[in-house]
Amino acid sequence: MIPGMRVAKRTKDELAEAKQAINESFKRFKSIGEIVADTKFCYEVSELVRQVAVDEFNLSDPTPLFVNRASAQLGDTIEIEETVNTMKAIRRHPGSHPMAFTPTKRKTSITTKQYDLPFAMDLEKIIRRQVDPSVFAEHAAQALSRVYISTVLSAIDAAATGTDHYSRNLRATKSGDVDATTLDGVLRSLGDVNGDVFIAGRYYALFPITSFTGYSNELVNEIHATGLIGRYKGARVVVLQDDFNWYYNSATIPANRIYIGGGNKGAFLHERDVSALNYQSVDTERAWLKNGFRVDFGVTVLQPWKFRVIELT
């Protein structure tokens, strides 16, 4: 299990049961009017759809690889406080007054953004059995995944510029496919400042690594579920599955980036609990059960030197 991975309230099997329950719950109604009149049902099924969407997202969310997570309540002010070590041993001269060092603190304010995920369950299509109600939970989970993953990777990509405190580059550029020389140089650089190193990216970008000397396969089913396909010179090779959106014709994870990080995460993802702002309503004219929930989060790359990015051109 990836350290820091979110724990969903439902297992994969329990999610399948919950989706089936959502689908079955509508079958007892003979008309749209009956559904609209049952306000308690509208609330309960809307809440279940939201819960299933969040749990399905949590089961496959890869962002804990890159970020430390912290949560706050609605209205809280969020900041990161670091204790900086100022101490050092100094030469003592007899008769001199001793110096005293004391740790100092550094604070960084965190800014979060709120996102709305509104959707409408078309009751006419549900009554006609043209669409399963559980589809709305699946699509909401995918939409959540896209906004979280793209936000985290974009923040790391933007921060991985310049050099670390040893004057080593945080970014490498390679024309065409990644090669062993480029990857070895990045791993050597990062391994000096971070441990438990991993190499992550789309399968398209990572595939050449499978032919490098020093690569070994990992075919354990439990590990496969996390996206780990092997190891290269001790570093985990993790595939990030892209959720291509056909409607918007857009990819979430770029195929020309390889992200290298480690167990000491240099980025923070702060979330506010804004579940109190979730809502549902019925549009009787359109026969829509409108639904929506909000998420509020922000990503701060406080220590960019704990990451490396390889850009393929």
Side-chain angles (χ1 to χ4, degrees):
M1 189 173 186
I2 298 171
M5 178 69 80
R6 285 191 223 232
V7 179
K9 295 180 180 178
R10 293 176 177 85
T11 64
K12 190 174 182 179
D13 291 338
E14 289 171 341
L15 275 176
E17 292 176 4
K19 290 179 186 178
Q20 184 63 27
I22 292 173
N23 294 336
E24 294 294 329
S25 66
F26 281 89
K27 293 182 178 180
R28 64 185 176 90
F29 294 102
K30 295 181 173 58
S31 69
I32 293 173
E34 286 186 34
I35 298 175
V36 172
D38 194 338
T39 55
K40 181 181 179 182
F41 168 78
C42 290
Y43 168 76
E44 290 177 345
V45 75
S46 297
E47 183 61 24
L48 182 55
V49 167
R50 289 191 290 261
Q51 290 177 6
V52 169
V54 171
D55 281 344
E56 185 155 317
F57 162 59
N58 288 345
L59 281 178
S60 58
D61 178 20
T63 58
L65 260 179
F66 304 93
V67 295
N68 292 299
R69 294 194 115 86
S71 58
Q73 297 302 310
L74 185 62
D76 288 351
T77 299
I78 306 173
E79 63 182 14
I80 298 174
E81 183 177 274
E82 297 177 280
T83 301
V84 181
N85 186 353
T86 65
M87 298 185 187
K88 68 175 181 178
I90 58 174
R91 185 175 178 182
R92 179 180 180 272
H93 297 279
S96 63
H97 293 288
M99 295 182 66
F101 298 97
T102 184
T104 186
K105 291 185 177 180
R106 179 169 52 199
K107 293 183 179 181
T108 304
S109 297
I110 303 299
T111 301
T112 63
K113 295 181 180 179
Q114 192 171 122
Y115 298 86
D116 198 1
L117 183 53
F119 57 94
M121 302 175 71
D122 192 323
L123 298 178
E124 182 175 346
K125 289 183 178 180
I126 292 174
I127 285 288
R128 290 175 178 270
R129 308 291 189 264
Q130 293 177 341
V131 62
D132 288 332
S134 60
V135 166
F136 295 94
E138 294 171 356
H139 288 187
Q142 293 165 13
L144 276 179
S145 179
R146 286 193 292 269
V147 70
Y148 271 85
I149 293 174
S150 62
T151 301
V152 169
L153 295 184
S154 296
I156 293 172
D157 197 16
T161 58
T163 61
D164 64 11
H165 40 285
Y166 295 123
S167 300
R168 295 167 184 159
N169 291 328
L170 305 186
R171 196 178 199 88
T173 303
K174 175 66 175 66
S175 177
D177 293 336
V178 66
D179 61 3
T181 301
T182 302
L183 185 57
D184 287 354
V186 170
L187 290 176
R188 181 182 181 185
S189 169
L190 182 63
D192 205 24
V193 296
N194 208 339
D196 193 19
V197 175
F198 65 82
I199 306 163
R202 292 258 298 275
Y203 189 82
Y204 182 87
L206 299 180
F207 181 77
I209 300 174
T210 61
S211 64
F212 293 174
T213 301
Y215 175 81
S216 61
N217 290 313
E218 295 281 357
L219 297 177
V220 182
N221 290 334
E222 183 178 352
I223 295 177
H224 235 348
T226 67
L228 179 64
I229 61 169
R231 290 183 180 271
Y232 176 68
K233 297 187 176 179
R236 292 174 290 158
V237 182
V238 182
V239 169
L240 302 177
Q241 295 292 344
D242 182 55
D243 178 21
F244 187 85
N245 188 296
W246 292 97
Y247 185 82
Y248 295 105
N249 194 34
S250 63
T252 303
I253 302 170
N256 64 339
R257 295 287 191 279
I258 297 177
Y259 304 90
I260 299 93
N264 296 321
K265 305 165 189 177
F268 296 82
L269 190 154
H270 287 82
E271 296 174 290
R272 298 180 195 273
D273 181 3
V274 291
S275 57
L277 304 181
N278 293 343
Y279 60 92
Q280 66 281 322
S281 63
V282 177
D283 186 329
T284 54
E285 186 175 350
R286 294 183 175 181
W288 283 356
L289 175 55
K290 292 183 176 180
N291 243 293
F293 56 95
R294 297 181 171 111
V295 294
D296 188 310
F297 72 97
V299 178
T300 303
V301 184
L302 194 63
Q303 299 166 325
W305 47 270
K306 290 185 177 179
F307 296 99
R308 298 292 186 272
V309 173
I310 299 177
E311 182 176 355
L312 307 175
T313 61

